[in-house]
Amino acid sequence: FIPWGPASIQVALSKKSPYIQTAHRVSGLMLANHTSISSLFVKTLQQYDRLKARGAFLEQFKKEKMFSEGLEEFDSAREVVQQLIDEYQAATQVDYKMYSGVPQASTKSAE
């Protein structure tokens, strides 16, 4: 476990769901948010970068009114996902509480 977060596991049990037919008396749901999800985002960005470099599927978007003047929306979305990856990767570090959201390379060049 990371030193800046509580090392705990929470379990909640509820009565049988009225919406799902099951033979069990108890239902369960687990929602987890942990840093290993960043690997999925990394793979997604790698695939996106390869498709964009080839220009794959872009013609379909250029036909739409929203993208008639350019595909900057895609670049903006890619940047947001990259920031999310950076945040998750920073969360694995001991000094995460000091994380400012500014990449380390940018911080050094600003000094």
Side-chain angles (χ1 to χ4, degrees), residues 12-79:
L13 298 175
S14 64
K15 292 183 180 180
K16 186 174 174 180
S17 171
Y19 306 106
I20 301 172
Q21 297 299 320
T22 179
H24 304 290
R25 295 183 310 137
V26 179
S27 296
L29 170 67
M30 176 183 165
L31 296 176
N33 183 12
H34 50 82
T35 57
S36 67
I37 191 72
S38 69
S39 63
L40 176 67
F41 294 128
V42 168
K43 286 180 186 178
T44 302
L45 277 190
Q46 289 171 345
Q47 291 172 349
Y48 167 78
D49 289 340
R50 279 183 276 186
L51 287 172
K52 181 134 191 243
R54 289 186 359 216
F57 307 109
L58 295 181
E59 289 305 315
Q60 289 298 97
F61 288 99
K62 290 177 183 177
K63 294 176 185 176
E64 297 296 324
K65 185 177 181 180
M66 178 180 173
F67 300 109
S68 62
E69 295 185 23
L71 300 172
E72 291 80 22
E73 191 77 25
F74 285 106
D75 297 329
S76 175
R78 189 207 182 283
E79 197 173 305

